[in-house]
Amino acid sequence: MTMSARVSQSAFDGSRLRVILLLDLYEGAQEQFLDAYEHMRNKVASVPGHISDQLCQSIENPSQWLITSEWESALPFLAWVNSEEHIEIVRPMHSCVRDTRSMRYSVLRETHPDQPLTAEVARASLQKAARVGTGVTRHAITFTVKPGSESKVVDILANYEAPEARINDTTRLHRTSLFMHGNRVVRAVEVEGDLLATLCHVAAQPQVQAVEEAINPYLEQDRDLSDSDSARVFFTRAALPAMQHVAAGRPEPDHLRRHMLYYPAVAGRGLELARFLARQDEAAANDPDSPVYASTVFQRDDIVTRMIDVTGELDLDPLSALGVKGPGRAAELERLLDGAAIGVEGSLDSERTLHRLLAHADMVPVTDRTSAHS
C-alpha cells in the first residue's frame, strides 16, 4: 500500500518492521535474563510474521543489552506484542531489567548483496517513501469501568490539575483528550519527542497519581500501579495502537473541534475496519471541502476508534464525519460494523440511520487539554 505524504503515522504501508529494545540489566541478573530470552526466542520464532531476532551486548558496558527483531510488517508485530501470550512470555525478563526502551521503525533503505532476485524481493517490502510530519505523535489507551460508576469516573478525570507539559529540551506533552462511550474510556495524548520519558514524567506527578488512585475502585480490570508488574500488564492490555494519522494538505484552520468516534467491529473484523477507515481518511485528505482536517485511527482487536479534528458541526456532513464518503462506502462500513453493539440497526443508505449512527458513535468528551507551549 503506497502512502500519501500527508500520512505521518502508519502501520498499513506493508513495509518490513525493525523493533529495537534497549535494556539495562540489574547486577547479577545476566544468567536469569539469558534463560528468559531463550524461552522467549523459542516462542516468538513460531509467531506468524516474525522473521528474525538478535541479542546483543554492549562492548563498553556489560549491563547494557539490545534485542532487535525483524517482522514482515507492523501488523503481525502489533498483534503479538499486545497479546496475552506475549505478556506471559516476557514476564520473567522484567525482574532482570532496571530500565528498558522500545523503538519501532519501518525499513526505508538498505544495502543488499549483489543478488538481483533477492534484492528485488527485498526492495518490494521496503517503505515506499519517507513520511513527513510535525514531530508530534498520537498515542492512546482504553479501559472499562464498572457499569454504574461512569458519572463518578467522569468527575474524577475531568477535575484535576494538568501536569507540567515540558519534560525536557526535546520532549513535551502537547495535548491530552479523554472520551467515554458507555463504560469505556479512551485517553489520547499528543507527544513531541520521547513517549516513554513523557509517560514516566506524567506518572510521577502527584496530581496524576491521585487521579489514578481515585479511579482504581471503579476499574473492571484490577491494577496496582505501585507494583511495576501489575502496572505493566494493565497498560499493555490498555494499549490502543495508532494505526494511521493523516492531516489535510491545507493550512490548519483557526478553530477545530475534536471528536472521538467509536466503531465496534464485527467479531474478527477490527483490523479490516481500521484499514478501511484509514484508506478513506487518506483519500479525504486531498478534498478541500472535507470538514475533517486531521484523523487518527486506533485499533485493538475489535475495538476501533477514530479521533478527528473538524471544522463545523459533525451532523452537517455525516458521511464525511464517519469517514465513509463516496459510492458504496456506507455499505462497506455496514458490513464491518457491529451496529447492534452501539444500538444502530438498519441500512446506512438511510440518512436518518446515518445521523443515528453518528450520534451513537460520537464519544462523550471528558476533558481536552492543550499545552500553552503548543
Side-chain angles (χ1 to χ4, degrees), residues 34-354:
L34 288 171
D35 288 343
Y37 172 76
E38 283 301 309
H39 176 68
M40 181 192 74
R41 183 171 71 91
N42 291 331
K43 291 289 186 180
V44 75
S46 63
V47 174
H50 175 264
I51 298 174
S52 65
D53 60 79
Q54 290 182 320
L55 175 65
C56 310
Q57 185 179 22
S58 169
I59 62 173
E60 299 170 329
N61 183 342
S63 72
Q64 294 179 350
W65 294 71
L66 168 70
I67 298 175
T68 68
S69 61
E70 189 167 359
W71 297 76
E72 291 176 1
S73 72
L75 300 181
F77 169 76
L78 290 173
W80 159 248
V81 79
N82 290 316
S83 69
E84 290 296 318
E85 183 182 9
H86 179 263
I87 290 174
E88 293 306 316
I89 287 175
V90 301
R91 195 188 295 270
M93 280 191 174
H94 294 152
S95 60
C96 312
V97 177
R98 179 187 293 111
D99 190 27
T100 182
R101 182 180 180 191
S102 177
M103 295 170 284
R104 304 160 187 184
Y105 298 87
S106 55
V107 182
L108 180 66
R109 298 283 189 274
E110 65 181 354
T111 301
H112 213 275
D114 188 19
Q115 300 173 359
L117 180 60
T118 304
E120 182 179 347
V121 172
R123 282 194 298 272
S125 63
L126 298 181
Q127 181 182 320
K128 300 301 184 291
R131 290 187 289 273
V132 297
T134 62
V136 177
T137 56
R138 294 181 171 186
H139 310 269
I141 63 170
T142 184
F143 53 88
T144 56
V145 298
K146 296 172 182 176
S149 69
E150 293 89 348
S151 62
K152 294 177 182 177
V153 171
V154 167
D155 287 342
I156 294 169
L157 294 177
N159 297 294
Y160 70 95
E161 182 183 350
E164 171 60 40
R166 186 175 182 274
I167 288 79
N168 54 45
D169 290 342
T170 59
T171 300
R172 64 183 55 189
L173 176 63
H174 278 247
R175 190 167 181 176
T176 301
S177 308
L178 278 88
F179 303 86
M180 287 191 73
H181 189 286
N183 70 328
R184 178 168 297 281
V185 177
V186 174
R187 174 189 292 157
V189 296
E190 293 184 359
V191 174
E192 178 183 1
D194 188 344
L195 173 64
L196 181 59
T198 302
L199 297 180
C200 291
H201 168 82
V202 170
Q205 303 303 300
Q207 67 270 38
V208 174
Q209 293 175 345
V211 167
E212 298 291 356
E213 186 69 25
I215 66 171
N216 277 344
Y218 306 113
L219 298 177
E220 287 198 311
Q221 178 190 340
D222 291 335
R223 68 179 186 183
D224 177 4
L225 295 185
S226 65
D227 177 82
S228 59
D229 188 57
S230 176
R232 187 179 294 110
V233 169
F234 176 84
F235 286 111
T236 298
R237 288 174 174 159
L240 190 59
M243 306 304 285
Q244 179 173 291
H245 174 69
V246 60
R250 60 182 187 272
E252 181 174 339
D254 292 334
H255 300 289
L256 288 170
R257 301 182 183 185
R258 173 157 293 183
H259 295 262
M260 182 76 80
L261 303 180
Y262 176 56
Y263 302 77
V266 171
R269 296 285 184 84
L271 182 59
E272 188 179 354
L273 175 55
R275 193 193 298 270
F276 165 74
L277 292 170
R279 284 198 305 262
Q280 288 294 104
D281 283 333
E282 187 180 356
N286 293 312
D287 180 1
D289 297 323
S290 174
V292 179
Y293 176 77
S295 173
T296 309
V297 176
F298 300 94
Q299 179 257 333
R300 183 192 180 100
D301 300 325
D302 294 328
I303 300 167
V304 181
T305 65
R306 180 167 158 266
M307 188 164 69
I308 55 176
D309 295 324
V310 300
T311 57
E313 300 293 336
L314 286 187
D315 58 3
L316 294 178
D317 189 349
L319 282 171
S320 292
L322 287 165
V324 292
K325 194 125 184 192
R329 300 299 186 259
E332 181 72 2
L333 177 62
E334 186 178 341
R335 182 179 71 84
L336 298 171
L337 187 68
D338 184 1
I342 52 174
V344 176
E345 298 179 357
S347 172
L348 296 187
D349 289 336
S350 161
E351 186 172 346
R352 180 179 179 184
T353 304
L354 275 173

Side-chain angles (χ1 to χ4, degrees), residues 3-22:
M3 292 291 171
S4 151
R6 309 201 193 291
V7 176
S8 59
Q9 289 176 257
S10 178
F12 288 130
D13 67 0
S15 59
R16 277 181 286 127
L17 183 74
R18 174 72 66 180
V19 180
I20 300 170
L21 186 64
L22 300 172

